[in-house]
Amino acid sequence: MTQLAATAKDFVEPPPSQKDTPLLRLWRTLFGSTLNSAITVMVILALVWLVPKIVNWAILDATWTGVAADCRKASGACWAFIAEKARVMVFGVYPGEELWRPTLMMLLFIGMVGVSMFKRLWRRELIWAWIALVPVLLLLMDGRILFLIPVLPVVPTNRWSGLPVTLLLSLFGLVLAFPLAILVALGRRSTMPVIRVLSVCYIELIRGVPLITVLFMASLIFPLFLPAGMTVDKLLRAQIAIILFAAAYLAEVVRAGLQGIPRGQYEAADSLGLTYWQSMRLIILPQALKMVIPPLVNTFIGFFKDTTLIIIVGLFDFLFSVRAPLADPNWLGFPTEAYVFAAAVYFCFCFIMSKYSQYLERELSPERRR
Amino acid sequence: MSQIDTQRDAATYAAAGAPPRVVKSSGAWWNDQHVRSLLYQALVLLGVIGVAAWFIGNAIDNLARAKIASGFGFLDREAGFGISESLIEYSPASTYGRALVVGLLNTIKVAVIGCILTTILGTFLGILRLTTNPLLAKVMSAYIEIIRNIPLLLQLFFWYAVLLQLPVPRQAIIPIEGIVLSNRGIMVPGLVLHDVHWFVAAAFLAGIVATVIYARHVRRRQEATGERTSIVLPALGFLFGLPLVVGFLVGAPFEPTVPELKGFNFSGGIVMSPEFAALLIGLTVYTAAFVAEIVRAGIQAVGKGQWEASSALGLRRGQMLRLVVLPQALRIIIPPMTSTYLSYTKNSSLAIAIGYPDLVSVSNTTMNQTGQAVEAIAIFMSIYLGLSLLISAFMNWYNNQIALKER
């Protein structure tokens, strides 16, 4: 072949010179221009000022064991406080002799979530496993099978507290809000005016008010709506509020996915003679939900954090049980340590979720992988 | 089903955004799509109305049994509780209605100041995020990851604890002369305000209006003649000159006030209570992390070609940013910013957890005292809904103003 046209070779840049080592490149990105050098120097100065302070406080000058008096002598953090109060901070007021139950519950829960994260294991059996696991989790917490047949000593929900409550509220909140969200999202795109208007009202009403007002509704007004003598457990009411609230936000995410499906897909489903529900279940939703997994996970993270709000209506989640020991007269004055501990726990859960959503985004869109 | 009907339906469906589903009727009336759709809607409507009626019926019974008078009469009764901070005159002898207004004003105060601070801080952080400097980029992304992955309520508790752990006023921290940090709150210098200063505020508002009108005039002239006139000087004149002149004419006193240690506490200056300061700092730091991401995404979404094209036109870097890149970036930034402002306002309801007397907090005290939970919750829910609709209406209007005008 003669060299009439330019070949790809002509457009390829020459290889970098031998001197362009990674170290040199790093040097250039850090000190390439005056502005960059200034930024680098300032960031380094700030880090040199800040990092030793944090390291000293958190590690070098910290007190790891002992009593409050030892902590007050030292200038650093008082991790002895956390160690001393760890049981209360994690499990709250759950009866002390039954602690193996919430512990096992959390291990099962986290283990199952961990298993579910592997895309290879996404099979029908996984759904059945979850359905089987949920009564076990509740049995461990409550002591009765489906709140009816006592097997273990019964622990009423007003003794449920701490991290187990946070995990359960988030799990049920999202698992139950999700189908509701799909229904409402489909309703919002429905051709039937009554259903569309109801869905829009529901979504806009819920999204227009803060979660805390919905929680107030659930804890103060909902009991009024029930006939005399009929009561619904307080924790369950908060759970319902979280489900209703999350569903409105998730519905908007799902709707975005539905809007992203080309019209041809709907028409193709129709031409196959599928009914509305068949075409949604088999054609539309699988594609729509796949598209919105990253924003869905972001919404999940948001609601995991928002479960903390239940302490305002007098329920005991993880944040509550972390704060409870702050009132201990022997250990006054270490709120920072407690909050750092709680923040670290919340951060771990949320960070793993957000990294996982990035992984899923890559995994589910091979066409966009680079 | 006649042909005409089918066509009309297709049009209706297309308008609703869903594809037309034209189903051939097989004769029996229960297979007709129209009949079915009407039936479904009637059933759903009946169900919703039924449940609502049942709830309301139960509520009326329960309220009657508990001997709680319903209605909004309690708003005129004496509240009998104090509110630690208020923008208007308030005492325990004031009515519940006034107490709720105090709460609402406190909510608005934190929302307005907070949204402005958040925008400034968030934009600054967003621009820092754009840097090519790997060190700064790492620091920034660490900051944003940490802030976004910790519950807001926890952050508020943290800031409140930090502010309460500050030294007593006698050993207050004074980072800059005039700014005092102590466990009684944060004090900054300010002006003593009198009623006459309302004229100055009105003049400032008039200045904003005048600036907008002048900017439109300049733009129209530019479109007609191609001449560009700078609006910076006239705008400064309208915004600051006008209030100054008005202030001088009405004889508004200019009395600066700075915090001074008197006895065991500071007096003078503008005092931010620890509750208000914790709420403001917590919400602002939290929300700014989200704003930073919005700003970064918005600026990055403007293609490189736009920079190159404006550079080819011979614009200076500042002009490129102001005339070409920012107007396009704003178009992407505005919609998510709207929801950020909305969530800022809604998140300010967490104030109740640290004892700042916002709308929810005051309503909560009110319903604990009067037992009028339904009314109190109805009031604050509709106020939040109203605020939400107001902000989103304004932002939609603004969004339309700057949206891409396609011909």
Side-chain angles (χ1 to χ4, degrees):
Chain A
M1 202 205 250
T2 47
Q3 283 281 321
L4 282 180
T7 60
K9 231 180 177 178
D10 295 331
F11 292 109
V12 174
E13 285 179 23
S17 70
Q18 291 296 313
K19 280 162 120 187
D20 200 14
T21 59
L23 210 64
L24 202 66
R25 237 176 297 150
L26 182 67
W27 179 261
R28 212 177 303 141
T29 49
L30 285 176
F31 297 100
S33 65
T34 326
L35 179 68
N36 245 351
S37 310
I39 292 176
T40 306
V41 169
M42 271 164 67
V43 173
I44 289 178
L45 282 180
L47 288 179
V48 163
W49 176 76
L50 192 67
V51 171
K53 281 196 171 182
I54 294 178
V55 171
N56 280 340
W57 181 80
I59 299 168
L60 296 180
D61 296 340
T63 315
W64 300 86
T65 51
V67 292
D70 301 326
C71 281
R72 295 215 171 82
K73 265 181 262 162
S75 60
C78 180
W79 301 126
F81 174 52
I82 307 292
E84 171 84 18
K85 300 287 181 189
R87 194 179 63 83
V88 178
M89 284 186 172
V90 175
F91 296 110
V93 292
Y94 201 88
E97 62 283 3
E98 303 285 344
L99 281 189
W100 64 273
R101 285 158 51 178
T103 315
L104 182 62
M105 196 285 292
M106 289 204 295
L107 287 178
L108 281 175
F109 179 97
I110 293 170
M112 193 65 183
V113 170
V115 167
S116 308
M117 283 170 94
F118 291 101
K119 202 173 143 254
R120 261 181 298 134
L121 299 174
W122 287 5
R123 299 201 203 104
R124 200 161 287 261
E125 289 88 336
L126 193 64
I127 298 177
W128 290 115
W130 269 109
I131 293 175
L133 184 70
V134 164
V136 177
L137 299 181
L138 290 177
L139 164 68
L140 282 171
M141 285 302 284
D142 181 73
R144 288 171 295 183
I145 298 173
L146 296 174
F147 296 101
L148 295 170
I149 311 150
V151 182
L152 298 161
V154 175
V155 178
T157 54
N158 60 13
R159 297 294 297 273
W160 296 18
S161 51
L163 196 53
V165 168
T166 297
L167 293 181
L168 285 178
L169 275 180
S170 320
L171 171 72
F172 288 110
L174 297 173
V175 168
L176 296 175
F178 197 52
L180 181 60
I182 291 178
L183 279 183
V184 176
L186 290 176
R188 188 162 184 171
R189 286 175 59 77
S190 165
T191 52
M192 301 183 220
V194 170
I195 293 184
R196 196 170 60 236
V197 168
L198 283 176
S199 305
V200 170
C201 285
Y202 168 69
I203 292 175
E204 296 304 329
L205 188 76
I206 296 279
R207 283 165 53 96
V209 298
L211 172 57
I212 196 165
T213 63
V214 182
L215 285 171
F216 268 123
M217 280 279 283
S219 73
L220 296 173
I221 296 194
F222 186 67
L224 280 179
F225 285 157
L226 296 176
M230 185 173 163
T231 53
V232 176
D233 184 78
K234 203 175 174 193
L235 191 62
L236 182 60
R237 295 203 302 261
Q239 179 75 79
I240 294 171
I242 289 179
I243 291 171
L244 291 179
F245 195 76
Y249 281 80
L250 291 175
E252 285 296 90
V253 177
V254 173
R255 183 170 75 110
L258 290 175
Q259 279 175 342
I261 302 293
R263 172 173 272 239
Q265 296 290 323
Y266 291 90
E267 289 165 354
D270 281 355
S271 67
L272 285 175
L274 299 179
T275 66
Y276 176 78
W277 291 109
Q278 279 177 328
S279 68
M280 287 301 143
R281 192 164 54 86
L282 300 171
I283 311 280
I284 307 299
L285 283 176
Q287 303 182 64
L289 294 183
K290 196 183 102 175
M291 272 202 291
V292 292
I293 281 186
L296 275 181
V297 177
N298 279 339
T299 318
F300 286 179
I301 295 176
F303 282 102
F304 178 71
K305 290 186 294 174
D306 279 348
T307 54
T308 50
L309 265 60
I310 63 164
I311 67 179
I312 295 174
V313 290
L315 291 163
F316 315 136
D317 78 332
F318 179 53
L319 184 54
F320 178 89
S321 58
V322 165
R323 275 164 55 82
L326 296 180
D328 183 340
N330 294 325
W331 290 93
L332 284 181
F334 303 109
T336 316
E337 286 81 350
Y339 291 141
V340 167
F341 169 65
V345 172
Y346 278 109
F347 180 81
C348 284
F349 280 103
C350 296
F351 189 70
I352 291 172
M353 275 195 272
S354 77
K355 284 291 157 213
Y356 179 64
S357 96
Q358 288 164 13
Y359 155 82
L360 264 192
E361 198 176 349
R362 275 198 310 277
E363 197 70 5
L364 289 176
S365 50
E367 68 278 5
R368 274 191 283 163
R369 212 182 296 173
R370 265 165 235 162
Chain B
M1 193 192 285
S2 73
Q3 185 60 39
I4 297 162
D5 261 347
T6 323
Q7 274 175 358
R8 199 201 58 203
D9 276 2
T12 333
Y13 294 146
R21 289 177 60 84
V22 184
V23 177
K24 196 179 129 272
S25 162
S26 65
W29 64 268
W30 60 83
N31 277 342
D32 188 327
Q33 211 193 3
H34 269 294
V35 179
R36 282 195 166 197
S37 142
L38 282 179
L39 197 68
Y40 291 148
Q41 297 185 54
L43 281 178
V44 170
L45 200 60
L46 272 181
V48 170
I49 292 175
V51 171
W54 187 63
F55 276 172
I56 293 171
N58 286 333
I60 292 172
D61 284 353
N62 286 329
L63 289 176
R65 199 170 317 108
K67 297 204 173 58
I68 299 174
S70 52
F72 292 93
F74 70 100
L75 290 178
D76 295 329
R77 295 211 306 271
E78 188 184 306
F81 62 89
I83 298 181
S84 56
E85 50 196 295
S86 164
L87 289 176
I88 53 175
E89 228 168 273
Y90 176 85
S91 74
S94 307
T95 61
Y96 282 115
R98 197 167 175 88
L100 291 178
V101 173
V102 169
L104 175 61
L105 288 176
N106 279 339
T107 291
I108 293 176
K109 177 171 121 186
V110 81
V112 169
I113 299 178
C115 283
I116 295 170
L117 290 181
T118 304
T119 312
I120 298 170
L121 181 64
T123 311
F124 177 66
L125 295 176
I127 290 170
L128 288 191
R129 276 277 269 172
L130 282 170
T131 169
T132 52
N133 187 309
L135 203 57
L136 184 59
K138 276 271 174 293
V139 170
M140 288 308 300
S141 81
Y143 165 80
I144 286 175
E145 285 287 354
I146 289 176
I147 295 294
R148 282 166 59 124
N149 283 327
I150 295 174
L152 173 59
L153 189 57
L154 175 53
Q155 297 190 30
L156 291 182
F157 282 142
F158 171 79
W159 288 112
Y160 190 45
V162 167
L163 287 174
L164 287 186
Q165 279 183 335
L166 286 173
V168 292
R170 293 201 140 207
Q171 287 126 31
I173 303 170
I174 304 180
I176 308 165
E177 195 53 48
I179 296 179
V180 179
L181 306 173
S182 76
N183 63 359
R184 304 283 179 88
I186 298 176
M187 278 150 250
V188 291
L191 284 180
V192 181
L193 291 184
H194 302 279
D195 282 347
V196 69
H197 282 100
W198 283 113
F199 288 105
V200 181
F204 182 70
L205 283 182
I208 294 179
V209 174
T211 310
V212 170
I213 292 174
Y214 183 71
R216 283 197 176 171
H217 166 73
V218 165
R219 167 162 299 198
R220 226 171 285 134
R221 212 170 69 129
Q222 189 195 351
E223 275 164 11
T225 66
E227 269 177 67
R228 268 191 73 79
T229 334
S230 167
I231 65 159
V232 175
L233 270 182
L236 284 178
F238 285 133
L239 289 178
F240 300 104
L242 197 60
L244 276 180
V245 170
V246 169
F248 184 72
L249 286 181
V250 297
F254 180 78
E255 283 176 51
T257 154
V258 284
E260 280 168 78
L261 188 62
K262 277 192 187 139
F264 288 105
N265 201 355
F266 281 86
S267 66
I270 295 175
V271 185
M272 289 192 272
S273 66
E275 292 81 18
F276 176 75
L279 187 66
L280 191 67
I281 297 173
L283 273 172
T284 303
V285 168
Y286 182 77
T287 319
F290 291 83
V291 173
E293 287 298 274
I294 295 171
V295 170
R296 179 186 62 93
I299 294 180
Q300 275 181 346
V302 179
K304 206 177 172 193
Q306 297 290 329
W307 286 95
E308 290 167 354
S310 46
S311 152
L313 286 175
L315 298 180
R316 277 178 278 111
R317 208 182 148 75
Q319 285 178 321
M320 288 192 236
L321 197 66
R322 194 159 47 86
L323 299 174
V324 179
V325 177
L326 271 189
Q328 300 183 64
L330 274 184
R331 209 169 280 145
I332 302 162
I333 290 173
I334 298 292
M337 279 300 264
T338 318
S339 26
T340 310
Y341 290 146
L342 277 180
S343 50
Y344 194 106
T345 310
K346 286 186 282 174
N347 281 337
S348 73
S349 61
L350 295 189
I352 186 175
I354 53 172
Y356 174 71
D358 81 324
L359 179 62
V360 173
S361 172
V362 172
S363 306
N364 190 37
T365 316
T366 303
M367 58 196 175
N368 284 342
Q369 289 193 358
T370 60
Q372 311 265 334
V374 180
E375 290 82 357
I377 290 181
I379 289 175
F380 69 67
M381 273 190 124
S382 25
I383 288 178
Y384 276 109
L385 260 183
L387 281 180
S388 293
L389 293 178
L390 209 68
I391 295 183
S392 65
F394 172 75
M395 288 313 254
N396 280 339
W397 170 81
Y398 182 66
N399 204 14
N400 274 335
Q401 293 286 305
I402 64 158
L404 202 56
K405 302 277 192 302
E406 287 186 55
R407 280 166 239 265

